[in-house]
Amino acid sequence: PDCANLSQQARLNATPENFGYFGLAFGLSGDSLAVGAPANTEAGSNAGRGYIFNRSGSTWTQEQVITTDDHQASDRLGESVSMSGNTAVFCAGLEQYNGGYFFKGAAYVFQKGGDWSGGSQLQMLKASDAYQDDDYGKSVAISNDGTYKAVGAQLEDTGGSNRGKVYIYIKSGTTWSQQAMIQSNDIANGDKF
């Protein structure tokens, strides 16, 4: 394609945004755009938020504000984002749960319902071996057909300090299940794989 002929179609802002690093992460699928704002403070300091925009012609409109069922300060929701078809994933690398161990991280799956304004949280994904400060959700990707999802935990410590790990999930019906955990064959301390 001739990149010299590209032109800006729109400039998107969230409403409200509140200095949340809007646009740090995003995912695009067809006419829908998912955007993360991990430092948004609407639900507390660095709670984060997600936003869904929809395109009609050359006009992009904010359709949904994304928060989670357990949204709280320091979650950093929207730190990484991925989208495929009717599914959007917003990760919160500092999500806290189950007491005792903090900042385990989580990935939240949202499903479009008619349009995104009717969408809802479908599932909260956690690593089967989740532990404090793994940074699970630092990165996320969904396959084009929406069957597989990969979530990165760059500070995971299996075998040594901050080696990192990737968790693979497979979809069956409306449920995602962890299928595998992956590290490279030459993994070493500090790789943040």
Side-chain angles (χ1 to χ4, degrees), residues 73-95:
S74 300
D75 282 354
R76 291 190 58 83
L77 179 67
E79 191 168 43
S80 65
V81 178
S82 189
M83 181 177 248
S84 178
N86 294 333
T87 304
V89 183
F90 292 84
C91 291
L94 298 182
E95 168 61 35

Side-chain angles (χ1 to χ4, degrees), residues 129-140:
D129 60 351
Y131 196 76
Q132 180 176 344
D133 299 327
D134 278 352
D135 212 4
Y136 173 91
K138 186 66 173 182
S139 56
V140 63

Side-chain angles (χ1 to χ4, degrees), residues 21-37:
Y21 293 162
F22 174 81
L24 182 70
F26 59 89
L28 179 67
S29 182
D31 292 327
S32 295
L33 174 69
V35 182

